[in-house]
Amino acid sequence: MTGLSEEVRPNKAFGWAAIDTSGVLSPFKFSTRGTGEKDVAFKVLYCGICHSDLHMIKNDWGSSIYPLVPGHEVVGEVTEVGSKVQKFKVGDRVGVGCMVGSCRSCDNCTNNLENYCPEMIFTYGAKYYDGTVTYGGYSNTMVVDEHFVVGIPENLPLDAAAPLLCAGITVYSPLRFYGLDKPGLHVGVVGLGGLGHLAVKFAKAMGTKVTVISTSPSKQKEALENLGADSFLVSRDQDQLRAAIGTFDGIVDTVSAQHPLLPLLGLLKSHGKLVVLGIPEKPLELPAFPLIQGRKLVGGSMTGGMKETQEMIDFAAEHGIKADTEVIAMDYVNAAMDRLLKGDVKYRFVIDIGNTLKSIS
Amino acid sequence: MSKSSEGEKQQKAFGWAATDESGTLSPFHFSRRENGDEDVTIKILYCGVCHSDLHSLTNEWGFTSYPVVPGHEIVGVATKVGKNVTKFKAGDRVGVGVMVGSCKTCECCQQDLENYCSQIIFTYNSHNPDGTKNYGGYSDMIVVDQRYVLRFPDNLPLDAGAPLLCAGITVYSPMKYYGMTEAGKHLGVAGLGGLGHVAVKIAKAFGLKVTVISSSPQKESEAINRLGADSFLASSDPAKMKSAIGSMDCIIDTVSAVHPLFPLLSLLKVNGKLVTLGLPNKPLELPVFPLVSGRKLVGGSDFGGMKETQEMLDFCAKHNIAADIELIRIDEINTAMERLARSDVRFRFVIDVANSLSQ
């Protein structure tokens, strides 16, 4: 069904896949391509569970190809490199994020924005050049073009580094692009999950003052004491909202559920920027007056290019930024997905692939 | 704020006002402050009719204080200047736009962004700190603090130049702020009305490639032949819209009614910017996926600061840019408003105040 000819994909592999829209994952045998001259083959050690994985296994976006092996926060150790590979050697600690291919020649690709290339190939659930479907990091081994592999510095523990490959770059890139990375600026982070908790850490490391904006007062202690936020705003508290009007230079909004933008726009100073990262099912209401009267903007962002992803990893290593994870065994993955649906995780599940993904006979 | 407005004598003024939500205008006597030390008294010659005037007359936004004398595209002659006024003298051609006051001390005011001051005082439908009310340019004269008065260039026609005071700056400012002054970039102009037609002219003067996006296919000929747009996209033609996907660096959206943003966002390249200028009375619908998947943004802009407004006037004078207008008498204003509501004007009504406003 998926063109799994042995000539194209000679190497046996195994992982866990969803086979239908129930999204239930189970052991699955497949094959990877041989290591081409520009490819890096690696043993997967850890893989983060991204909320996108949950959407994809259930076909929420209508684009899923089954069997689907998710996982685009992948870290591991190089086992083989192709003859033309320059950046990596056997034994190196590497990572792969949300994409494994792009056209390499369009304006976006030549400007290190491969993530916006119209022919960008997702790490899983996408058609690759050889006609096969890509399989992600909930598996024992991957073969990826060198260009789409990043190196993980020694001082970053692999399990805590895995979520950086998607969540990390997804918040790092807009902080830079929208100029919310200057010391002294006041940045808000809406939503304290996989993305949000990393946004707090990166923004603090960039020298900004950070306020977590959340509907749950119970997260305040965590935000201030564990994550290092400077303050906490309960968005359902009208008095708190009113007191904070016009005090933010920027707000990074990681919430994917439907929610009102008007209060967030009100929190911005004039010329402030609201960055939206979550993709709600339906359009959001955008009141024109606050945008116009304060020359404010609402902008989006999606992961990041390869150059910036490596830069983000190096920045994280330099500043000791790690994701807060709950490491789980492979066979816990379905329970983890149920908990993720309820937001019951602080703040990213990471599958211990190396130690718990058993080969399938 | 000039001292003379604190309880001193007021002077008589005359204009046309609406007194209720029907928005019907009729003759109206009122008063303005005497000319203070910082003030310029202006005999009004022409006043443009902005769509905001219509929104205000019928209380569409919910904050109109009746009676309201609209008009914030004012052109006239200075008749008197206060003793601290250095920039103007009697006889000068001057203009007044959307605002007549601000705090003058905040960060915005200090950065020539008075239009974003939290204590901004609009030209009409506003109140001064001393409680007195402001009336706009559908009247015989106005008294304005010199900071908010523009020098009207000699080679700009007084009547066709009036709409620049709001429409002109409203499209000029975002072109600069959102980086659309680099020759060769591709700008879309959505809506071909008062704002849109001036946007095309200014954008061409910046050397941009301009595509007009409009729901009225019959506007194509004038967009290209008269205004100089490079191309025209009928938004009701799905095939044409599809062929233009991902082709524009920026779109200036001048449409004042609620309208879908998704088709416009699709026209933008990656990192493209949709600048929204219209002020409908209900929120717009924002599809988030195109913003995220293309790193696109939707931003607003609100006319411009005084320095930039002057810069815009001088730019237009240099490039011979004025509005395409239909000159009307003050007693034709109600009919003009009805036509404006149907977008039946090419492209701005301007009231010939001096020649038609009589008591």
Side-chain angles (χ1 to χ4, degrees):
Chain A
M1 173 201 81
T2 50
L4 286 162
S5 67
E6 287 304 289
E7 300 88 72
V8 176
R9 313 236 289 205
N11 297 331
K12 292 197 193 313
F14 54 90
W16 279 45
I19 55 169
D20 58 36
T21 58
S22 71
V24 172
L25 295 140
S26 55
F28 172 69
K29 283 196 279 198
F30 61 98
S31 315
T32 63
R33 65 174 184 273
T35 308
E37 55 186 14
K38 293 197 183 159
D39 284 335
V40 173
F42 63 97
K43 178 173 74 170
V44 179
L45 294 174
Y46 295 95
C47 187
I49 298 183
C50 177
H51 208 115
S52 301
D53 299 348
L54 182 50
H55 285 303
M56 287 297 283
I57 58 180
K58 299 197 172 189
N59 197 25
D60 284 350
W61 295 328
S63 59
S64 300
I65 301 172
Y66 296 104
L68 185 80
V69 176
H72 58 205
E73 295 185 333
V74 198
V75 294
E77 193 181 289
V78 178
T79 53
E80 189 183 354
V81 296
S83 58
K84 293 201 170 150
V85 168
Q86 313 217 307
K87 294 191 290 178
F88 303 104
K89 59 187 190 309
V90 172
D92 280 351
R93 306 156 98 242
V94 294
V96 169
C98 302
M99 57 182 172
V100 292
S102 72
C103 84
R104 311 292 299 278
S105 59
C106 69
D107 273 351
N108 296 310
C109 286
T110 48
N111 284 310
N112 299 305
L113 294 173
E114 301 91 339
N115 50 322
Y116 298 111
C117 169
E119 291 170 36
M120 182 267 285
I121 298 175
F122 288 113
T123 298
Y124 66 84
K127 282 270 166 58
Y128 200 66
Y129 304 113
D130 56 11
T132 60
V133 170
T134 54
Y135 293 119
Y138 293 19
S139 59
N140 69 322
T141 178
M142 287 182 74
V143 180
V144 177
D145 183 308
E146 167 185 40
H147 187 80
F148 299 95
V149 178
V150 292
I152 312 279
E154 288 296 321
N155 65 320
L156 263 187
L158 284 179
D159 55 344
L164 297 178
L165 272 326
C166 178
I169 184 59
T170 296
V171 297
Y172 179 91
S173 185
L175 285 171
R176 292 279 190 222
F177 182 67
Y178 289 100
L180 299 179
D181 56 347
K182 317 265 177 295
L185 291 184
H186 184 195
V187 176
V189 176
V190 186
L192 208 55
L195 262 57
H197 90 288
L198 284 173
V200 174
K201 296 190 185 202
F202 277 111
K204 284 303 299 169
M206 290 168 178
T208 62
K209 172 183 157 184
V210 177
T211 296
V212 168
I213 302 162
S214 170
T215 52
S216 327
S218 56
K219 293 187 180 179
Q220 174 160 341
K221 189 168 189 295
E222 173 72 19
L224 299 178
E225 292 175 19
N226 180 24
L227 299 174
D230 296 281
S231 56
F232 189 90
L233 182 59
V234 179
S235 49
R236 295 204 176 131
D237 183 326
Q238 295 303 319
D239 290 333
Q240 283 189 31
L241 272 182
R242 208 173 302 125
I245 278 175
T247 60
F248 289 80
D249 295 285
I251 293 174
V252 177
D253 184 359
T254 73
V255 173
S256 53
Q258 298 297 125
H259 60 291
L261 295 184
L262 182 61
L264 299 178
L265 291 171
L267 291 174
L268 292 171
K269 297 176 186 174
S270 74
H271 302 86
K273 301 161 188 172
L274 174 57
V275 181
V276 289
L277 300 177
I279 306 175
E281 268 180 38
K282 294 194 186 35
L284 296 179
E285 258 189 22
L286 180 67
F289 268 85
L291 274 199
I292 286 169
Q293 290 185 321
R295 197 156 66 173
K296 300 177 184 178
L297 64 87
V298 181
S301 187
M302 183 177 74
T303 65
M306 294 320 301
K307 180 165 183 256
E308 192 171 43
T309 304
Q310 185 67 68
E311 179 191 296
M312 176 276 305
I313 294 276
D314 296 339
F315 181 92
E318 188 190 332
H319 293 270
I321 295 172
K322 302 184 283 259
D324 288 8
T325 64
E326 182 175 329
V327 180
I328 61 161
M330 186 74 240
D331 59 9
Y332 188 76
V333 70
N334 289 310
M337 287 298 184
D338 288 341
R339 285 178 52 198
L340 179 57
L341 191 56
K342 298 191 294 263
D344 175 23
V345 55
K346 280 197 179 45
Y347 287 99
R348 211 50 159 190
F349 289 112
V350 171
I351 308 170
D352 183 352
I353 301 277
N355 292 318
T356 68
L357 174 63
K358 304 280 180 276
S359 71
I360 303 154
S361 50
Chain B
M1 188 194 75
S2 71
K3 289 181 187 171
S4 69
S5 57
E6 282 172 7
E8 284 204 21
K9 213 163 83 124
Q10 298 258 299
Q11 57 180 315
K12 288 193 199 314
F14 172 69
W16 277 47
T19 54
D20 59 38
E21 291 187 1
S22 72
T24 306
L25 293 141
S26 56
F28 174 69
H29 294 272
F30 60 101
S31 47
R32 295 197 187 272
R33 64 174 184 268
E34 291 285 0
N35 202 75
D37 297 339
E38 298 289 330
D39 287 336
V40 177
T41 296
I42 302 166
K43 173 181 152 71
I44 297 176
L45 298 174
Y46 297 97
C47 187
V49 177
C50 177
H51 206 117
S52 298
D53 298 349
L54 181 52
H55 288 306
S56 298
L57 287 174
T58 55
N59 197 19
E60 220 180 290
W61 294 327
F63 55 81
T64 300
S65 161
Y66 294 100
V68 58
V69 174
H72 57 206
E73 294 182 338
I74 302 168
V75 173
V77 171
T79 55
K80 193 171 175 185
V81 301
K83 70 180 203 313
N84 293 340
V85 174
T86 48
K87 294 193 294 172
F88 306 101
K89 59 187 189 306
D92 282 352
R93 293 152 52 105
V94 293
V96 176
V98 183
M99 65 185 292
V100 293
S102 67
C103 82
K104 298 189 184 176
T105 55
C106 70
E107 235 181 274
C108 286
C109 285
Q110 286 181 27
Q111 291 172 18
D112 298 312
L113 295 171
E114 302 93 337
N115 51 323
Y116 297 111
C117 171
S118 58
Q119 295 178 59
I120 186 175
I121 300 175
F122 293 111
T123 300
Y124 67 86
N125 192 31
S126 64
H127 286 84
N128 298 308
D130 65 2
T132 55
K133 193 161 155 178
N134 290 307
Y135 299 101
Y138 294 14
S139 60
D140 55 357
M141 55 83 80
I142 191 169
V143 179
V144 181
D145 180 312
Q146 63 169 325
R147 181 169 174 156
Y148 309 97
V149 177
L150 288 321
R151 184 188 64 250
F152 201 78
D154 286 334
N155 67 317
L156 266 185
L158 289 167
D159 54 356
L164 297 176
L165 272 327
C166 178
I169 183 59
T170 297
V171 297
Y172 179 90
S173 185
M175 282 189 220
K176 294 202 67 191
Y177 185 65
Y178 290 101
M180 288 304 287
T181 56
E182 216 180 287
K185 282 195 174 173
H186 187 184
L187 177 74
V189 176
L192 201 59
L195 261 58
H197 90 287
V198 173
V200 174
K201 297 187 186 197
I202 291 178
K204 288 308 297 172
F206 276 130
L208 304 177
K209 174 180 162 185
V210 179
T211 295
V212 168
I213 306 151
S214 171
S215 57
S216 318
Q218 67 273 24
K219 290 186 179 178
E220 176 162 5
S221 174
E222 51 194 324
I224 299 198
N225 299 326
R226 206 166 104 208
L227 299 173
D230 296 280
S231 55
F232 184 91
L233 200 48
S235 50
S236 49
D237 185 333
K240 291 258 167 67
M241 289 293 279
K242 191 158 174 220
S243 69
I245 278 176
S247 63
M248 299 178 193
D249 295 287
C250 175
I251 293 173
I252 298 234
D253 184 1
T254 73
V255 176
S256 57
V258 171
H259 58 288
L261 297 185
F262 184 80
L264 296 177
L265 289 169
S266 308
L267 296 174
L268 292 170
K269 297 175 183 173
V270 167
N271 295 331
K273 301 164 189 174
L274 175 58
V275 184
T276 186
L277 300 177
L279 285 166
N281 60 348
K282 289 192 173 48
L284 299 165
E285 255 187 23
L286 179 69
V288 175
F289 185 71
L291 289 193
V292 168
S293 65
R295 197 158 68 172
K296 299 177 184 178
L297 66 86
V298 180
S301 187
D302 206 9
F303 60 107
M306 302 319 301
K307 183 168 177 233
E308 192 172 48
T309 306
Q310 187 66 67
E311 179 189 296
M312 175 278 306
L313 284 175
D314 296 337
F315 178 89
C316 288
K318 180 175 165 192
H319 293 273
N320 290 310
I321 294 171
D324 292 5
I325 66 166
E326 184 175 327
L327 199 60
I328 60 165
R329 301 170 44 82
I330 186 69
D331 53 83
E332 294 172 312
I333 187 61
N334 289 309
T335 309
M337 285 300 179
E338 285 166 26
R339 286 179 52 199
L340 179 57
R342 299 191 307 263
S343 299
D344 175 25
V345 54
R346 295 286 193 279
F347 285 100
R348 217 29 162 208
F349 289 113
V350 172
I351 306 170
D352 186 352
V353 175
N355 290 323
S356 67
L357 181 69
S358 54
Q359 311 212 16

